[in-house]
Structure formats: C-alpha cells, structure tokens
Amino acid sequence: MHELSIAEALVQHVTEAMAGSAPYRVTRVRLRIGLLSGLAADALAFCFEVVTRDTPLEGSALEIESVPVAIRCDPCGQIVELPEAPPLRCPRCNQASAAIVRGKELEVESIDVEDEIQNMTRSEPAS
Amino acid sequence: MTPRIVELRQGLLKKNDQLAAALRLRFQDAGVFVVNLVSSPGTGKTLLLERTLSALKAGGGRPAALVGDLETDRDAQRLARAGVPVRQIQTHGICHLDADMIERHLDGWDLASHDLLFIENVGNLVCTSSYDLGESCRVALLSVTEGEDKPLKYPGIYNSADAVVITKIDLADVCEFDRDAARAHLFDVRPGVRLIETSAKTGQGFDDWLAFLEERPQSR
C-alpha cells in the first residue's frame, strides 16, 4: 500500500508550490489517477486525511478523476481508449499493444486556495 | 470568499523520477548495467539471484546486489554466500524501494568496479511498479505456483517489464501449469515480452537467462 507515500508526496508538492505566498488554506485538491496506476482511491482518501492534519490542506476536499486506459494501435494508426483493460488489445482490430498512452497517471492537476485573513478565527470545514 | 484555482499539473512521483534519472546517468557513467527484479513474495527472486551471482562470478563477471525487504538482512546474508558485494535495504514497512533508498545505499560503493548491479525489490506486485529506480531494465518474475492469470490481475507491473522470468519450472507438471495460458495472459498485458523459463533448483533455463543478461537489454 503506497497510498501513504503518494499522499505525503502530494502534500509536499502543494506546500512547495505555494512556498513564499501569504498564509493560505487549500479547500480542494484535484488529482488524475490512471486506472493502471495501482492506486486505490479510497485508501488514498484515507491517507490524505491523515497526512494533511496540521497543514494548509487540512479539511480540503479530494477530487479524483479516474483516467481510463488508452493504447496506441499501430495497425489502426490511432490512440484507442479501452473500456476494459487488460487485455491491452485494440477493440477494433484485436491487435495487442504494449504502448500505453494513458492510464498510468499519478498527477495533481490543480488546487483551490483561499487566502487566510490574519487574526480571524478559521471556520471549521463542514464535515 | 471565492477560492482561486492554482494549476499545478505535476506528476506525484516527479521527485522520484528526477532522482532516478540522475541515478541512471550515474550508472551509465560507471558502466554498470542495472536490473530491477520485481515479483510477489515467494516467487524465488533470492534463489534465482543467488545462483545468478555465483554463475556470473564464476564466468569472470563482477556483479553486485542490493536487496530490499521490510525487515531483516537474511536475504543479504544468503546472497553474500556467492562471494560478491551485497547490501541490504530494510524499508521498515514501506512496500517498495524508491530511488532515494537506492541512492543512500550506494554511499561509498565504487560502482565502476562492477559490471552488473541487481536490485531485488520488495516482494510486491502493485507498489513497486510506479517507482523508477534508475534501472537499465526491469525483470518481472512469475512462478508456476502462482497461477497463469496473475498478469491479468496485476497488469501494471507486468506491462512495465522488459522480460518475464518464469520460475520453479521444475514444478510445472505438479502444479499443472499451463504454459500457453501463461504466455497468452502475459501477452495480453505486455505483447511480445521476452519469456525465460527457469528453475533455480535444477539450473534449467539458466543458459537462456545468462545469455539474456549478456545482451544488456535496454528498457523501453
């Protein structure tokens, strides 16, 4: 289960990207996770909640976009999305292809950020 | 207050990938070929490696190995019997090796004095597939005792392999291992992948395996 390592990397990516900015709070995080990445979304959400405690990401919503698998099919000369993978076969011509162009993503797409107003009590996010 | 959107568009393993790329250059500069061995626990990585290190050393090679486990240095002790330099990486619960662990364990090691470095990854078919270790090639193992459909259940790791070594082939008949089915399933996730059947117990297939290593096959 490497979801914990990934969640930690996520917090690190965000805090590094925001380094040097005024006090802020992250309210939403958008990820793109490929279906072949081997990452379990629910396990990631659980780890995310744990590792974001006491960070500017605490209480933020985690939005995960699942990226379906797509292969490059040489005979058809195009990129084909596979509703079910494996097998990694073109549904049109049945040719197998190991050239995966989508479906292994582990990416942070964007975040929603609110500036923290000094000396104001922070409202707790609704659970 | 309306939040503002900050675009990041970054791979979450970017740091690992950068470190792995630097390691790859370092390995190339030292002239050492690096093999990342991945499989589920109990597939026979250590025995395959034990025999491989001995054979390479006997043939005048200068191999070395890094071995990853959650706990203990038992595997490093086993491999060291081949009379080659071996270092153990204990991850203490982490389910995969990453480029940072590799870099830290290379400290003070003269890579240029070796021609082949094997990295025996933690036994795990899921988490290991995402972490580039700077290897020259990735070899996945599949034992005849595991079932022919394993590649379909864990497509990511077998798709990322440059070769697949079938282990414990001496038990194929007892396990009613269906070679054709295994090949078909492997080709479903990694069409055309190189297959090598071995038995570390009897030595069967080791000529093919050693010949494969001799080719220095580069990763995709």
CSV table of all heavy atoms in Angstrom, one decimal, chain B residues 158-214:
chain,number,residue,atom,x,y,z
B,158,TYR,N,3.4,-6.2,-14.9
B,158,TYR,CA,3.9,-7.0,-16.0
B,158,TYR,C,4.0,-6.2,-17.3
B,158,TYR,O,4.8,-6.4,-18.1
B,158,TYR,CB,3.0,-8.2,-16.2
B,158,TYR,CG,3.2,-9.2,-15.1
B,158,TYR,CD1,2.3,-9.4,-14.0
B,158,TYR,CD2,4.4,-10.0,-15.0
B,158,TYR,CE1,2.6,-10.3,-13.0
B,158,TYR,CE2,4.6,-10.9,-14.0
B,158,TYR,CZ,3.7,-11.0,-13.0
B,158,TYR,OH,4.0,-11.9,-11.9
B,159,ASN,N,3.1,-5.1,-17.4
B,159,ASN,CA,3.2,-4.3,-18.5
B,159,ASN,C,4.6,-3.5,-18.5
B,159,ASN,O,5.1,-3.2,-19.6
B,159,ASN,CB,2.1,-3.3,-18.6
B,159,ASN,CG,2.3,-2.2,-19.7
B,159,ASN,OD1,2.8,-1.2,-19.5
B,159,ASN,ND2,1.9,-2.6,-20.9
B,160,SER,N,5.1,-3.2,-17.3
B,160,SER,CA,6.3,-2.4,-17.2
B,160,SER,C,7.6,-3.2,-17.4
B,160,SER,O,8.6,-2.7,-17.3
B,160,SER,CB,6.3,-1.6,-15.9
B,160,SER,OG,6.5,-2.5,-14.8
B,161,ALA,N,7.4,-4.5,-17.5
B,161,ALA,CA,8.6,-5.4,-17.5
B,161,ALA,C,9.2,-5.5,-18.9
B,161,ALA,O,8.5,-5.5,-19.9
B,161,ALA,CB,8.2,-6.8,-17.0
B,162,ASP,N,10.5,-5.6,-18.9
B,162,ASP,CA,11.2,-5.7,-20.2
B,162,ASP,C,11.4,-7.2,-20.5
B,162,ASP,O,11.7,-7.6,-21.6
B,162,ASP,CB,12.6,-5.1,-20.1
B,162,ASP,CG,12.4,-3.6,-19.9
B,162,ASP,OD1,11.8,-2.9,-20.7
B,162,ASP,OD2,12.9,-3.1,-18.9
B,163,ALA,N,11.3,-8.1,-19.5
B,163,ALA,CA,11.4,-9.5,-19.7
B,163,ALA,C,10.6,-10.1,-18.5
B,163,ALA,O,10.5,-9.5,-17.4
B,163,ALA,CB,12.8,-10.0,-19.7
B,164,VAL,N,10.1,-11.3,-18.7
B,164,VAL,CA,9.5,-12.1,-17.6
B,164,VAL,C,10.2,-13.4,-17.5
B,164,VAL,O,10.3,-14.2,-18.4
B,164,VAL,CB,8.0,-12.3,-17.9
B,164,VAL,CG1,7.4,-13.2,-16.8
B,164,VAL,CG2,7.2,-11.0,-17.9
B,165,VAL,N,10.6,-13.7,-16.2
B,165,VAL,CA,11.3,-15.0,-15.9
B,165,VAL,C,10.2,-15.8,-15.2
B,165,VAL,O,9.7,-15.5,-14.2
B,165,VAL,CB,12.5,-14.8,-15.0
B,165,VAL,CG1,13.1,-16.2,-14.6
B,165,VAL,CG2,13.6,-14.0,-15.8
B,166,ILE,N,9.9,-17.0,-15.9
B,166,ILE,CA,9.1,-18.0,-15.2
B,166,ILE,C,10.0,-18.8,-14.3
B,166,ILE,O,10.9,-19.4,-14.7
B,166,ILE,CB,8.4,-18.9,-16.3
B,166,ILE,CG1,7.8,-18.1,-17.4
B,166,ILE,CG2,7.4,-19.8,-15.6
B,166,ILE,CD1,6.4,-17.5,-17.2
B,167,THR,N,9.6,-18.8,-13.0
B,167,THR,CA,10.5,-19.5,-12.0
B,167,THR,C,9.8,-20.8,-11.6
B,167,THR,O,8.6,-21.0,-11.8
B,167,THR,CB,10.7,-18.7,-10.8
B,167,THR,OG1,9.5,-18.4,-10.2
B,167,THR,CG2,11.5,-17.4,-11.2
B,168,LYS,N,10.6,-21.7,-11.0
B,168,LYS,CA,10.2,-23.0,-10.5
B,168,LYS,C,9.6,-23.9,-11.5
B,168,LYS,O,8.6,-24.7,-11.3
B,168,LYS,CB,9.1,-22.8,-9.3
B,168,LYS,CG,9.6,-21.8,-8.3
B,168,LYS,CD,8.6,-21.7,-7.1
B,168,LYS,CE,9.0,-20.6,-6.2
B,168,LYS,NZ,8.2,-20.5,-5.0
B,169,ILE,N,10.1,-23.8,-12.7
B,169,ILE,CA,9.6,-24.6,-13.9
B,169,ILE,C,9.7,-26.1,-13.6
B,169,ILE,O,8.9,-26.9,-14.2
B,169,ILE,CB,10.3,-24.2,-15.2
B,169,ILE,CG1,9.4,-24.5,-16.4
B,169,ILE,CG2,11.7,-24.7,-15.3
B,169,ILE,CD1,8.2,-23.7,-16.6
B,170,ASP,N,10.6,-26.5,-12.7
B,170,ASP,CA,10.7,-27.9,-12.3
B,170,ASP,C,9.4,-28.4,-11.7
B,170,ASP,O,9.1,-29.6,-11.6
B,170,ASP,CB,11.9,-28.2,-11.4
B,170,ASP,CG,11.8,-27.3,-10.2
B,170,ASP,OD1,11.9,-26.1,-10.3
B,170,ASP,OD2,11.8,-27.8,-9.1
B,171,LEU,N,8.5,-27.5,-11.2
B,171,LEU,CA,7.3,-27.9,-10.6
B,171,LEU,C,6.1,-27.8,-11.5
B,171,LEU,O,4.9,-27.9,-11.1
B,171,LEU,CB,7.0,-27.0,-9.3
B,171,LEU,CG,8.1,-27.1,-8.2
B,171,LEU,CD1,7.7,-26.0,-7.1
B,171,LEU,CD2,8.1,-28.5,-7.6
B,172,ALA,N,6.4,-27.4,-12.8
B,172,ALA,CA,5.3,-27.1,-13.7
B,172,ALA,C,4.2,-28.3,-13.8
B,172,ALA,O,3.0,-28.0,-13.7
B,172,ALA,CB,5.8,-26.8,-15.1
B,173,ASP,N,4.7,-29.5,-13.9
B,173,ASP,CA,3.8,-30.6,-14.1
B,173,ASP,C,2.9,-30.8,-12.8
B,173,ASP,O,1.7,-31.0,-12.9
B,173,ASP,CB,4.5,-31.9,-14.4
B,173,ASP,CG,5.1,-31.8,-15.8
B,173,ASP,OD1,4.7,-30.9,-16.6
B,173,ASP,OD2,6.0,-32.6,-16.2
B,174,VAL,N,3.6,-30.8,-11.7
B,174,VAL,CA,2.9,-31.0,-10.4
B,174,VAL,C,1.8,-29.9,-10.2
B,174,VAL,O,0.7,-30.2,-9.7
B,174,VAL,CB,3.9,-30.9,-9.2
B,174,VAL,CG1,3.2,-31.2,-7.9
B,174,VAL,CG2,5.1,-31.8,-9.4
B,175,CYS,N,2.1,-28.7,-10.6
B,175,CYS,CA,1.2,-27.6,-10.4
B,175,CYS,C,0.2,-27.5,-11.6
B,175,CYS,O,-0.7,-26.6,-11.6
B,175,CYS,CB,1.9,-26.3,-10.4
B,175,CYS,SG,3.0,-26.2,-8.9
B,176,GLU,N,0.3,-28.4,-12.6
B,176,GLU,CA,-0.5,-28.4,-13.8
B,176,GLU,C,-0.4,-27.0,-14.4
B,176,GLU,O,-1.5,-26.4,-14.8
B,176,GLU,CB,-1.9,-28.8,-13.5
B,176,GLU,CG,-2.0,-30.2,-13.0
B,176,GLU,CD,-3.4,-30.7,-12.7
B,176,GLU,OE1,-4.3,-29.8,-12.7
B,176,GLU,OE2,-3.6,-31.8,-12.4
B,177,PHE,N,0.8,-26.5,-14.5
B,177,PHE,CA,1.0,-25.1,-15.0
B,177,PHE,C,0.8,-25.1,-16.5
B,177,PHE,O,1.3,-26.0,-17.3
B,177,PHE,CB,2.4,-24.7,-14.7
B,177,PHE,CG,2.8,-23.3,-15.3
B,177,PHE,CD1,2.3,-22.2,-14.7
B,177,PHE,CD2,3.7,-23.2,-16.3
B,177,PHE,CE1,2.6,-20.9,-15.2
B,177,PHE,CE2,4.1,-22.0,-16.8
B,177,PHE,CZ,3.5,-20.8,-16.3
B,178,ASP,N,-0.1,-24.3,-17.0
B,178,ASP,CA,-0.5,-24.2,-18.4
B,178,ASP,C,0.4,-23.1,-19.1
B,178,ASP,O,0.1,-21.9,-19.0
B,178,ASP,CB,-2.0,-23.9,-18.6
B,178,ASP,CG,-2.4,-23.9,-20.0
B,178,ASP,OD1,-1.6,-23.8,-20.9
B,178,ASP,OD2,-3.7,-24.1,-20.2
B,179,ARG,N,1.5,-23.6,-19.7
B,179,ARG,CA,2.4,-22.6,-20.4
B,179,ARG,C,1.7,-21.7,-21.4
B,179,ARG,O,2.0,-20.5,-21.4
B,179,ARG,CB,3.5,-23.4,-21.2
B,179,ARG,CG,4.6,-23.9,-20.4
B,179,ARG,CD,5.6,-24.5,-21.3
B,179,ARG,NE,6.8,-24.9,-20.6
B,179,ARG,CZ,6.9,-26.0,-19.9
B,179,ARG,NH1,5.9,-26.8,-19.7
B,179,ARG,NH2,8.1,-26.3,-19.3
B,180,ASP,N,0.9,-22.3,-22.2
B,180,ASP,CA,0.2,-21.5,-23.3
B,180,ASP,C,-0.7,-20.4,-22.7
B,180,ASP,O,-0.7,-19.3,-23.2
B,180,ASP,CB,-0.6,-22.4,-24.2
B,180,ASP,CG,0.3,-23.3,-25.0
B,180,ASP,OD1,1.5,-23.0,-25.1
B,180,ASP,OD2,-0.2,-24.4,-25.5
B,181,ALA,N,-1.4,-20.8,-21.6
B,181,ALA,CA,-2.3,-19.8,-21.0
B,181,ALA,C,-1.5,-18.7,-20.3
B,181,ALA,O,-1.8,-17.5,-20.5
B,181,ALA,CB,-3.1,-20.5,-19.9
B,182,ALA,N,-0.3,-19.0,-19.7
B,182,ALA,CA,0.5,-18.0,-19.0
B,182,ALA,C,1.0,-17.1,-20.1
B,182,ALA,O,1.0,-15.9,-19.9
B,182,ALA,CB,1.7,-18.7,-18.3
B,183,ARG,N,1.5,-17.6,-21.2
B,183,ARG,CA,2.1,-16.8,-22.3
B,183,ARG,C,1.0,-15.9,-22.8
B,183,ARG,O,1.2,-14.7,-23.0
B,183,ARG,CB,2.6,-17.7,-23.4
B,183,ARG,CG,3.0,-17.0,-24.7
B,183,ARG,CD,3.4,-18.0,-25.7
B,183,ARG,NE,4.7,-18.6,-25.3
B,183,ARG,CZ,5.9,-18.2,-25.7
B,183,ARG,NH1,6.0,-17.2,-26.5
B,183,ARG,NH2,7.0,-18.8,-25.3
B,184,ALA,N,-0.2,-16.4,-23.1
B,184,ALA,CA,-1.3,-15.6,-23.6
B,184,ALA,C,-1.7,-14.5,-22.7
B,184,ALA,O,-1.9,-13.3,-23.1
B,184,ALA,CB,-2.6,-16.5,-23.9
B,185,HIS,N,-1.7,-14.8,-21.4
B,185,HIS,CA,-2.1,-13.7,-20.4
B,185,HIS,C,-1.0,-12.7,-20.3
B,185,HIS,O,-1.3,-11.5,-20.2
B,185,HIS,CB,-2.3,-14.3,-19.0
B,185,HIS,CG,-3.5,-15.2,-19.0
B,185,HIS,ND1,-4.7,-14.9,-19.7
B,185,HIS,CD2,-3.8,-16.3,-18.3
B,185,HIS,CE1,-5.6,-15.9,-19.5
B,185,HIS,NE2,-5.1,-16.7,-18.6
B,186,LEU,N,0.3,-13.1,-20.4
B,186,LEU,CA,1.4,-12.1,-20.4
B,186,LEU,C,1.3,-11.2,-21.6
B,186,LEU,O,1.5,-10.0,-21.5
B,186,LEU,CB,2.7,-12.8,-20.3
B,186,LEU,CG,3.1,-13.3,-18.8
B,186,LEU,CD1,4.2,-14.3,-18.9
B,186,LEU,CD2,3.5,-12.1,-18.0
B,187,PHE,N,1.0,-11.9,-22.7
B,187,PHE,CA,1.0,-11.1,-24.0
B,187,PHE,C,-0.3,-10.2,-24.0
B,187,PHE,O,-0.3,-9.2,-24.7
B,187,PHE,CB,0.9,-12.0,-25.2
B,187,PHE,CG,2.3,-12.6,-25.5
B,187,PHE,CD1,3.4,-12.4,-24.7
B,187,PHE,CD2,2.6,-13.2,-26.7
B,187,PHE,CE1,4.7,-12.9,-25.0
B,187,PHE,CE2,3.8,-13.7,-27.0
B,187,PHE,CZ,4.9,-13.5,-26.1
B,188,ASP,N,-1.3,-10.5,-23.2
B,188,ASP,CA,-2.4,-9.6,-23.1
B,188,ASP,C,-2.0,-8.2,-22.4
B,188,ASP,O,-2.6,-7.2,-22.7
B,188,ASP,CB,-3.6,-10.2,-22.3
B,188,ASP,CG,-4.4,-11.1,-23.1
B,188,ASP,OD1,-4.4,-11.0,-24.3
B,188,ASP,OD2,-5.1,-12.0,-22.5
B,189,VAL,N,-1.1,-8.3,-21.5
B,189,VAL,CA,-0.7,-7.1,-20.8
B,189,VAL,C,0.6,-6.5,-21.3
B,189,VAL,O,0.9,-5.3,-21.1
B,189,VAL,CB,-0.6,-7.3,-19.3
B,189,VAL,CG1,-2.0,-7.7,-18.7
B,189,VAL,CG2,0.4,-8.3,-18.9
B,190,ARG,N,1.4,-7.3,-21.9
B,190,ARG,CA,2.7,-6.9,-22.5
B,190,ARG,C,3.1,-7.7,-23.7
B,190,ARG,O,3.9,-8.6,-23.7
B,190,ARG,CB,3.8,-7.1,-21.4
B,190,ARG,CG,5.2,-6.7,-21.8
B,190,ARG,CD,5.4,-5.2,-21.8
B,190,ARG,NE,6.8,-4.8,-22.0
B,190,ARG,CZ,7.4,-4.6,-23.2
B,190,ARG,NH1,6.6,-4.7,-24.3
B,190,ARG,NH2,8.6,-4.3,-23.3
B,191,PRO,N,2.4,-7.3,-24.8
B,191,PRO,CA,2.6,-8.1,-26.1
B,191,PRO,C,4.0,-8.2,-26.4
B,191,PRO,O,4.8,-7.3,-26.4
B,191,PRO,CB,1.8,-7.2,-27.1
B,191,PRO,CG,0.8,-6.4,-26.3
B,191,PRO,CD,1.5,-6.2,-25.0
B,192,GLY,N,4.4,-9.5,-26.8
B,192,GLY,CA,5.7,-9.7,-27.3
B,192,GLY,C,6.8,-9.7,-26.3
B,192,GLY,O,8.0,-9.8,-26.6
B,193,VAL,N,6.5,-9.7,-25.0
B,193,VAL,CA,7.5,-9.6,-23.9
B,193,VAL,C,8.4,-10.9,-24.0
B,193,VAL,O,7.9,-12.0,-24.3
B,193,VAL,CB,6.9,-9.4,-22.5
B,193,VAL,CG1,6.1,-10.6,-22.0
B,193,VAL,CG2,8.0,-9.0,-21.5
B,194,ARG,N,9.7,-10.7,-23.7
B,194,ARG,CA,10.6,-11.9,-23.7
B,194,ARG,C,10.3,-12.8,-22.5
B,194,ARG,O,10.2,-12.3,-21.4
B,194,ARG,CB,12.0,-11.3,-23.6
B,194,ARG,CG,13.1,-12.3,-23.5
B,194,ARG,CD,13.6,-12.7,-24.8
B,194,ARG,NE,14.9,-13.4,-24.7
B,194,ARG,CZ,16.1,-12.8,-25.0
B,194,ARG,NH1,16.1,-11.5,-25.4
B,194,ARG,NH2,17.2,-13.4,-24.8
B,195,LEU,N,10.2,-14.1,-22.7
B,195,LEU,CA,9.9,-15.0,-21.7
B,195,LEU,C,11.1,-16.0,-21.5
B,195,LEU,O,11.6,-16.5,-22.5
B,195,LEU,CB,8.6,-15.8,-22.0
B,195,LEU,CG,7.3,-15.1,-22.0
B,195,LEU,CD1,6.2,-16.1,-22.4
B,195,LEU,CD2,7.0,-14.5,-20.7
B,196,ILE,N,11.5,-16.2,-20.3
B,196,ILE,CA,12.6,-17.1,-20.0
B,196,ILE,C,12.1,-18.1,-18.9
B,196,ILE,O,11.8,-17.6,-17.8
B,196,ILE,CB,13.8,-16.3,-19.5
B,196,ILE,CG1,14.2,-15.3,-20.6
B,196,ILE,CG2,15.0,-17.3,-19.3
B,196,ILE,CD1,15.1,-14.2,-20.1
B,197,GLU,N,12.1,-19.4,-19.2
B,197,GLU,CA,11.7,-20.4,-18.2
B,197,GLU,C,12.9,-20.9,-17.4
B,197,GLU,O,13.9,-21.3,-18.0
B,197,GLU,CB,11.0,-21.6,-18.9
B,197,GLU,CG,9.7,-21.2,-19.5
B,197,GLU,CD,9.0,-22.4,-20.1
B,197,GLU,OE1,9.6,-23.6,-20.0
B,197,GLU,OE2,7.9,-22.3,-20.6
B,198,THR,N,12.8,-20.8,-16.1
B,198,THR,CA,14.0,-21.2,-15.3
B,198,THR,C,13.6,-22.1,-14.1
B,198,THR,O,12.5,-22.1,-13.7
B,198,THR,CB,14.7,-20.0,-14.7
B,198,THR,OG1,13.8,-19.3,-13.8
B,198,THR,CG2,15.2,-19.0,-15.8
B,199,SER,N,14.6,-22.8,-13.7
B,199,SER,CA,14.5,-23.5,-12.3
B,199,SER,C,15.8,-23.2,-11.6
B,199,SER,O,16.8,-23.7,-12.1
B,199,SER,CB,14.2,-25.0,-12.5
B,199,SER,OG,14.5,-25.6,-11.2
B,200,ALA,N,15.7,-22.4,-10.6
B,200,ALA,CA,17.0,-22.1,-9.8
B,200,ALA,C,17.4,-23.4,-9.1
B,200,ALA,O,18.6,-23.5,-8.6
B,200,ALA,CB,16.7,-21.0,-8.9
B,201,LYS,N,16.5,-24.3,-8.9
B,201,LYS,CA,16.8,-25.6,-8.2
B,201,LYS,C,17.7,-26.5,-9.1
B,201,LYS,O,18.7,-27.1,-8.7
B,201,LYS,CB,15.5,-26.2,-7.8
B,201,LYS,CG,15.7,-27.2,-6.6
B,201,LYS,CD,14.3,-27.5,-6.1
B,201,LYS,CE,14.4,-28.7,-5.1
B,201,LYS,NZ,13.0,-29.1,-4.7
B,202,THR,N,17.2,-26.7,-10.4
B,202,THR,CA,17.8,-27.7,-11.2
B,202,THR,C,18.8,-27.0,-12.2
B,202,THR,O,19.6,-27.7,-12.8
B,202,THR,CB,16.8,-28.4,-12.1
B,202,THR,OG1,16.2,-27.5,-13.0
B,202,THR,CG2,15.7,-29.1,-11.3
B,203,GLY,N,18.7,-25.7,-12.3
B,203,GLY,CA,19.6,-24.9,-13.3
B,203,GLY,C,19.0,-24.8,-14.7
B,203,GLY,O,19.5,-24.2,-15.5
B,204,GLN,N,17.8,-25.5,-14.9
B,204,GLN,CA,17.2,-25.4,-16.2
B,204,GLN,C,16.9,-24.0,-16.6
B,204,GLN,O,16.4,-23.1,-15.8
B,204,GLN,CB,15.8,-26.2,-16.1
B,204,GLN,CG,15.1,-26.3,-17.4
B,204,GLN,CD,13.7,-26.9,-17.3
B,204,GLN,OE1,13.5,-27.6,-16.3
B,204,GLN,NE2,12.8,-26.6,-18.2
B,205,GLY,N,17.2,-23.7,-17.8
B,205,GLY,CA,16.9,-22.3,-18.4
B,205,GLY,C,18.0,-21.3,-18.0
B,205,GLY,O,17.8,-20.1,-18.5
B,206,PHE,N,19.0,-21.6,-17.2
B,206,PHE,CA,19.9,-20.6,-16.8
B,206,PHE,C,20.8,-20.1,-17.9
B,206,PHE,O,21.2,-19.0,-17.9
B,206,PHE,CB,20.7,-21.1,-15.6
B,206,PHE,CG,20.2,-20.5,-14.3
B,206,PHE,CD1,19.0,-21.0,-13.8
B,206,PHE,CD2,20.8,-19.5,-13.6
B,206,PHE,CE1,18.5,-20.4,-12.6
B,206,PHE,CE2,20.3,-18.9,-12.5
B,206,PHE,CZ,19.1,-19.4,-12.0
B,207,ASP,N,21.1,-21.0,-18.9
B,207,ASP,CA,21.8,-20.5,-20.0
B,207,ASP,C,21.1,-19.4,-20.8
B,207,ASP,O,21.7,-18.4,-21.1
B,207,ASP,CB,22.1,-21.7,-21.0
B,207,ASP,CG,23.0,-22.7,-20.4
B,207,ASP,OD1,23.7,-22.4,-19.4
B,207,ASP,OD2,23.2,-23.8,-21.0
B,208,ASP,N,19.8,-19.6,-20.9
B,208,ASP,CA,19.0,-18.5,-21.6
B,208,ASP,C,19.0,-17.2,-20.8
B,208,ASP,O,19.1,-16.2,-21.3
B,208,ASP,CB,17.5,-19.0,-21.7
B,208,ASP,CG,17.4,-20.2,-22.7
B,208,ASP,OD1,18.3,-20.4,-23.4
B,208,ASP,OD2,16.3,-20.9,-22.6
B,209,TRP,N,18.8,-17.4,-19.5
B,209,TRP,CA,18.8,-16.2,-18.6
B,209,TRP,C,20.1,-15.5,-18.6
B,209,TRP,O,20.1,-14.3,-18.7
B,209,TRP,CB,18.4,-16.7,-17.2
B,209,TRP,CG,18.6,-15.8,-16.0
B,209,TRP,CD1,19.3,-16.0,-14.9
B,209,TRP,CD2,18.1,-14.5,-15.9
B,209,TRP,NE1,19.3,-15.0,-14.0
B,209,TRP,CE2,18.5,-14.0,-14.6
B,209,TRP,CE3,17.2,-13.7,-16.6
B,209,TRP,CZ2,18.1,-12.7,-14.1
B,209,TRP,CZ3,16.9,-12.4,-16.1
B,209,TRP,CH2,17.3,-11.9,-14.9
B,210,LEU,N,21.2,-16.2,-18.5
B,210,LEU,CA,22.5,-15.6,-18.5
B,210,LEU,C,22.8,-14.9,-19.9
B,210,LEU,O,23.4,-13.9,-20.0
B,210,LEU,CB,23.6,-16.6,-18.2
B,210,LEU,CG,23.6,-17.1,-16.7
B,210,LEU,CD1,24.6,-18.2,-16.5
B,210,LEU,CD2,23.8,-16.0,-15.7
B,211,ALA,N,22.3,-15.6,-21.0
B,211,ALA,CA,22.5,-15.1,-22.3
B,211,ALA,C,21.7,-13.8,-22.5
B,211,ALA,O,22.2,-12.8,-23.1
B,211,ALA,CB,22.0,-16.1,-23.4
B,212,PHE,N,20.5,-13.7,-21.9
B,212,PHE,CA,19.7,-12.5,-21.9
B,212,PHE,C,20.4,-11.4,-21.2
B,212,PHE,O,20.5,-10.3,-21.7
B,212,PHE,CB,18.4,-12.8,-21.2
B,212,PHE,CG,17.6,-11.6,-20.9
B,212,PHE,CD1,16.8,-10.9,-21.8
B,212,PHE,CD2,17.6,-11.0,-19.6
B,212,PHE,CE1,16.1,-9.8,-21.6
B,212,PHE,CE2,16.8,-9.9,-19.3
B,212,PHE,CZ,16.1,-9.3,-20.3
B,213,LEU,N,21.0,-11.7,-20.0
B,213,LEU,CA,21.8,-10.6,-19.3
B,213,LEU,C,23.0,-10.1,-20.1
B,213,LEU,O,23.3,-9.0,-20.1
B,213,LEU,CB,22.2,-11.2,-17.9
B,213,LEU,CG,21.1,-11.5,-16.9
B,213,LEU,CD1,21.7,-12.2,-15.7
B,213,LEU,CD2,20.4,-10.2,-16.5
B,214,GLU,N,23.6,-11.1,-20.8
B,214,GLU,CA,24.8,-10.8,-21.6
B,214,GLU,C,24.4,-9.8,-22.7
B,214,GLU,O,25.3,-9.0,-23.1
B,214,GLU,CB,25.3,-12.1,-22.2
B,214,GLU,CG,26.7,-12.0,-22.8
B,214,GLU,CD,27.8,-11.5,-21.8
B,214,GLU,OE1,27.7,-11.9,-20.6
B,214,GLU,OE2,28.6,-10.6,-22.2
